[in-house]
């Protein structure tokens, strides 16, 4: 605290080596804030496209196996080369998620993981990371906190985007206005059963990228990526020039290669990484297992 004073209290001397001018502290804070603000999902995706590269987008459930491990995992994924990272806020009724992510959310909640704790983790790690963070959350926690307050808080913590799987396009108008106000990009999802005209509307309103759900159903690890994903990617490319990222069911490097060959601009992997991190014998073993899988996925994505 003394380092922030304009001059030392009477009888106290600061050494030249440790003295820091208040202007330097303020400048450092401003620089950190500017760096966080400069990280955008759309900017990252555009830069990758200009280089002919495809985004690797991993997903983690915050708080599983614990928050300290979540922070370490985020930093590991960033170091491995994740381009965008989705961070799931644990919720008691995750209707879009399969048993792996449901189990992770349940364990996180049982250990007392709260929304404030998740936001604190983002605040802690985001200044050290290159990859923008997209918060993946169901609408109920947003509604309980208040849309304005929720989005303001995640932005101030360093998040760049928001994905809410349980609100339909027609109900995104109000939350989109608040996201725009605070500089948060709202990512929308489209599914295999979405008609092309509706796909077009979703793509028009989505920011950062369009999330293409590869299966009819919930998240989870699959043996193969469904062949119809290729035609779905083409359908979306016919109605939008925004990047398409494919998720749900991606768990192997072979899946990632196939999705890339079908022309997607991003590959999203969730359940397999969540399982590796949260269902190993210890946090250290979980980090090692997650790192191994993430590294293999990264290597499969040009």
């Amino acid at each position: 605290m003394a380092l922030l004073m304009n001059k030392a209290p009477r009888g106290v001397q600061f050494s030249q080596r440790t003295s820091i001018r208040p202007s330097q502290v303020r400048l450092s804070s401003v620089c950190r804030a500017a760096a966080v603000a400069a990280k955008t999902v759309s900017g990252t995706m555009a830069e990758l496209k200009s280089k002919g590269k495809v985004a690797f987008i991993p997903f983690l459930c915050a708080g599983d196996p614990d928050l300290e491990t979540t922070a370490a995992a985020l930093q590991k994924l960033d170091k491995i080369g994740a381009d965008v990272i989705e961070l799931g806020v644990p919720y008691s009724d995750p209707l879009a998620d399969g048993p792996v992510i449901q189990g992770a959310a349940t364990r996180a909640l049982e250990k007392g993981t709260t929304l404030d704790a998740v936001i604190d983790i983002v605040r802690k790690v985001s200044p050290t990371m290159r990859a923008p963070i997209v918060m993946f959350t169901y609408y109920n926690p947003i509604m309980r906190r208040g849309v304005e307050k929720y989005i303001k808080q995640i932005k101030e913590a360093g998040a760049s985007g928001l994905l809410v799987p349980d609100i339909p396009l027609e109900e995104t108008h109000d939350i989109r206005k608040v996201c725009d106000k605070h500089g948060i990009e709202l990512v929308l999802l489209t599914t295999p059963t979405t008609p092309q005209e509706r796909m077009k509307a979703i793509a028009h309103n989505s920011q950062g990228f369009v999330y293409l759900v590869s299966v009819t159903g919930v998240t989870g690890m699959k043996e193969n990526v469904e062949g119809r994903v290729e035609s779905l990617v083409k359908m979306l490319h016919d109605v939008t020039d925004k990047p398409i990222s494919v998720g749900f069911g991606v768990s192997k490097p072979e899946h990632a290669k196939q999705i890339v060959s079908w022309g997607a601009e991003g590959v999203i992997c969730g359940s397999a990484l969540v399982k590796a991190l949260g269902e190993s014998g210890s946090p250290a073993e979980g980090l090692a297992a997650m790192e191994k899988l993430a590294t293999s996925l990264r290597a499969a994505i040009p």
Side-chain angles (χ1 to χ4, degrees), residues 30-288:
V30 168
C31 289
R32 284 198 299 272
V36 169
K39 287 191 291 191
T40 66
V41 182
S42 56
T44 297
M45 299 299 288
E47 182 180 359
L48 291 169
K49 185 175 183 178
S50 72
K51 296 177 180 179
K53 295 184 176 182
V54 175
F56 170 42
I57 307 176
F59 168 95
L60 294 178
C61 178
D64 183 49
D66 54 59
L67 287 166
E68 183 178 350
T69 304
T70 298
L74 288 168
Q75 291 170 320
K76 275 189 179 292
L77 289 171
D78 189 61
K79 185 176 180 181
I80 288 166
D83 297 295
V84 177
I85 300 175
E86 292 180 10
L87 182 62
V89 177
Y91 179 57
S92 58
D93 188 22
L95 57 88
D97 292 312
V100 171
I101 296 178
Q102 284 188 24
T106 298
R107 290 190 296 271
L109 291 171
E110 287 175 347
K111 291 184 178 180
T113 303
T114 63
L115 174 58
D116 286 329
V118 176
I119 292 173
D120 284 343
I121 286 294
V122 175
R123 184 178 294 108
K124 174 184 176 182
V125 302
S126 62
T128 71
M129 293 172 57
R130 177 189 57 84
I133 295 173
V134 174
M135 304 294 286
F136 185 111
T137 181
Y138 291 88
Y139 187 68
N140 185 268
I142 299 175
M143 181 181 68
R144 291 187 64 186
R145 176 143 304 192
V147 174
E148 180 86 28
K149 184 176 181 181
Y150 184 101
I151 292 170
K152 183 174 184 286
Q153 286 183 328
I154 66 169
K155 178 62 178 181
E156 289 176 346
S160 301
L162 176 65
L163 199 161
V164 188
D166 58 344
I167 53 172
L169 174 64
E170 292 77 11
E171 296 179 20
T172 59
H173 180 261
D174 290 344
I175 193 170
R176 168 70 180 269
K177 281 172 54 179
V178 182
C179 284
D180 288 346
K181 175 182 175 182
H182 292 286
I184 287 287
E185 293 182 293
L186 184 64
V187 181
L188 303 182
L189 300 95
T190 182
T191 74
T193 59
T194 305
Q196 191 170 23
E197 277 304 305
R198 186 170 177 81
M199 275 189 175
K200 183 177 181 179
I202 290 170
H204 175 74
N205 286 279
S206 189
Q207 298 172 300
F209 58 88
V210 182
Y211 192 132
L212 172 57
V213 176
S214 70
V215 299
T216 303
V218 297
T219 60
M221 296 174 290
K222 311 295 182 186
E223 190 59 34
N224 298 294
V225 180
E226 295 188 17
R228 62 177 170 172
V229 171
E230 182 176 12
S231 63
L232 292 170
V233 172
K234 183 180 184 305
M235 283 177 65
L236 275 165
H237 279 150
D238 286 344
V239 299
T240 185
D241 59 0
K242 291 180 182 177
I244 313 303
S245 298
V246 178
F248 283 49
V250 179
S251 60
K252 304 176 182 178
E254 294 79 14
H255 296 166
K257 289 178 181 178
Q258 193 159 40
I259 290 168
V260 170
S261 74
W262 289 336
E265 287 86 5
V267 178
I268 302 166
C269 179
S271 293
L273 291 169
V274 169
K275 182 179 179 67
L277 181 62
E279 297 184 20
S280 297
S282 68
E285 290 172 323
L287 283 169

